[in-house]
Amino acid sequence: PGHFSAGVQVVNNSYVDGEESNLETLRRWDFMIHRDNVTFVAAAAINDTTLAGAYLDWSAYNSLAVSSDQTSFSPTGSPGKAHADVWYAGPASFATGTVSGFAAGLYGNAQAAGQAAAQNDVVIRSLLMTGANKVNYSRDTANNLSADWGAGEADFSSSLAALQGGQESIQRLDNSGAVTGVLATSLKGWGYGTVLAGGQSVVMFHSSGAISGITASLNWDVTSASTATTLDTTDAGVNFPQLGLELRPLISSGGQYQLGPSLGDATLQSDAANDNVQFLYSTSALPAGNYAFVITGDPNLTPSVGFSYIVNSSATTATQWAQSVGGNWNSSANWSNGIPNGTGAQANFLSTPTGLIAPGSIALNGDQTVGEITFDN
């Protein structure tokens, strides 16, 4: 296969009618998307009944398949991906162009914020699926997706909020099933990293208020074995990691965290086989506390993954001082998630991406009210 043009990050594929290919082509698409790290947005539509079960661009596993509310679509009989990923209003070609614009906007915001890891296709796909609202959504698949509507209607502002929530660490459990690490205090965020073969990895967070809903998406690529000159597009050559995702409580023990028992809630578990997305959407009520998104690794493969989450909680989302020096409390640019102001607000003075806060002063410029201040540097 060839390459996408140098510098391309989003590829829009709106053409549908009469477009047929073959399984080898889909595997070449998947290989190129993975190798060149592009977000391959494809119209999920079948206007001609003779194309049912055909090898269309959207059914490449590494695509972001966009269905619409004005074009017929059913993934039944698809030779590849068997569901849409998101949908948007309008004919499929127009919907796909809009969602491609959303992807470009997320890349642009990540670039402006210096979030290099967010500029990976698996993260962008994850953010778009996590941020989708639940118009037309129904739970049809083992990974909690709607076959025709995917994760729901693409919503740029919600996806952007998850991006701006900041990067969280994907941490591996040790042989005893414990992890020593820091819990995220942001109730929105994303992560990027490798999930080692075997064992489990976690993204941990704390909610100081009761939880009323959770959305999360874990995405990774399918690819094929290759050399400098050849690509193995046979079944035997396909590298298809199988990962799982579940939300579990955390138990603090001796300075470490241990996983608590499974919550036994199917909406908080995603274990679809032969797919490269695991998705959680739950409106189950959970008490305040410490939790982990648990990623179960493939027994033999070590893929790079993109992950993002949004937790709806009665707690006010914490905001962190985002500068390495002092400054004005009332400047939104100095905070990671808005200026803290109110009895439920949480103001954190923690390590920043550029290091600990240097000696200096933060000017209040008047009375400020917060419910909690945390210092850790």
Side-chain angles (χ1 to χ4, degrees):
H3 284 270
F4 293 105
S5 298
V8 168
Q9 292 178 296
V10 180
V11 177
N12 179 72
N13 299 269
S14 296
Y15 184 69
V16 176
D17 285 334
E19 178 190 12
E20 288 191 70
S21 186
N22 55 40
L23 184 58
E24 179 177 309
T25 301
L26 288 189
R27 289 180 173 163
R28 288 173 181 269
W29 280 135
D30 282 333
F31 179 81
M32 290 172 63
I33 293 166
H34 173 70
R35 180 193 57 194
D36 296 341
N37 195 21
V38 301
T39 301
F40 186 91
V41 187
I46 300 175
N47 291 338
D48 183 345
T49 56
T50 64
L51 294 179
Y55 295 86
L56 303 175
D57 287 355
W58 67 265
S59 57
Y61 281 104
N62 296 346
S63 74
L64 183 78
V66 181
S67 63
S68 77
D69 60 352
Q70 294 185 25
T71 310
S72 61
F73 171 68
S74 175
T76 302
S78 165
K81 183 185 297 184
H83 57 79
D85 292 315
V86 294
W87 73 275
Y88 201 71
S93 290
F94 292 84
T96 305
T98 301
V99 176
S100 293
F102 292 170
L106 292 173
Y107 274 112
N109 276 271
Q111 289 169 352
Q115 296 170 310
Q119 297 169 53
N120 283 281
D121 164 53
V122 289
V123 177
I124 299 298
R125 292 203 321 255
S126 174
L127 289 166
L128 287 166
M129 294 184 73
T130 293
N133 68 54
K134 293 301 172 282
V135 176
N136 291 339
Y137 170 84
S138 61
R139 184 175 284 103
D140 300 329
T141 69
N143 48 357
N144 302 308
L145 294 169
S146 169
D148 290 350
W149 308 104
E153 183 183 24
D155 184 331
F156 178 72
S157 61
S158 183
S159 296
L160 179 61
L163 173 68
Q164 293 176 332
Q167 183 176 5
E168 303 299 343
S169 298
I170 299 175
Q171 304 170 83
R172 184 173 170 84
L173 296 179
D174 64 23
N175 292 334
S176 69
V179 62
T180 302
V182 178
L183 278 71
T185 55
S186 175
L187 299 180
K188 299 176 182 179
W190 58 275
Y192 175 76
T194 56
V195 175
L196 298 179
Q200 293 176 310
S201 300
V202 293
V203 175
M204 306 186 298
F205 72 92
H206 171 77
S207 176
S208 60
I211 295 171
S212 59
I214 286 178
T215 307
S217 184
L218 177 71
N219 298 69
W220 64 99
D221 280 345
V222 175
T223 189
S224 295
S226 66
T227 69
T229 58
T230 63
L231 176 66
D232 186 349
T233 57
T234 68
D235 290 344
V238 175
N239 295 319
F240 203 141
Q242 303 285 341
L243 307 178
L245 181 65
E246 182 180 7
L247 184 81
R248 303 236 327 241
L250 282 175
I251 300 170
S252 179
S253 176
Q256 293 184 314
Y257 294 100
Q258 297 272 356
L259 292 181
S262 173
L263 294 168
D265 185 337
T267 66
L268 294 171
Q269 301 173 2
S270 181
D271 56 2
N274 301 317
D275 205 346
N276 59 331
V277 57
Q278 301 290 8
F279 185 76
L280 302 181
Y281 171 65
S282 178
T283 57
S284 298
L286 296 171
N290 300 329
Y291 294 88
F293 294 103
V294 183
I295 303 169
T296 300
D298 183 277
N300 303 304
L301 300 173
T302 300
S304 296
V305 302
F307 176 76
S308 59
Y309 67 95
I310 295 174
V311 176
N312 298 320
S313 170
S314 60
T316 300
T317 301
T319 184
Q320 177 175 316
W321 185 257
Q323 305 298 332
S324 59
V325 295
N328 187 343
W329 180 290
N330 284 312
S331 172
S332 60
N334 290 334
W335 296 96
S336 65
N337 196 31
I339 300 169
N341 185 22
T343 56
Q346 298 169 267
N348 292 336
F349 296 90
L350 313 176
S351 298
T352 70
T354 55
L356 298 178
I357 295 174
S361 299
I362 296 173
L364 299 180
N365 293 338
D367 292 341
Q368 306 292 341
T369 300
V370 294
E372 180 179 316
I373 298 178
T374 300
F375 297 94
D376 186 15
N377 67 59

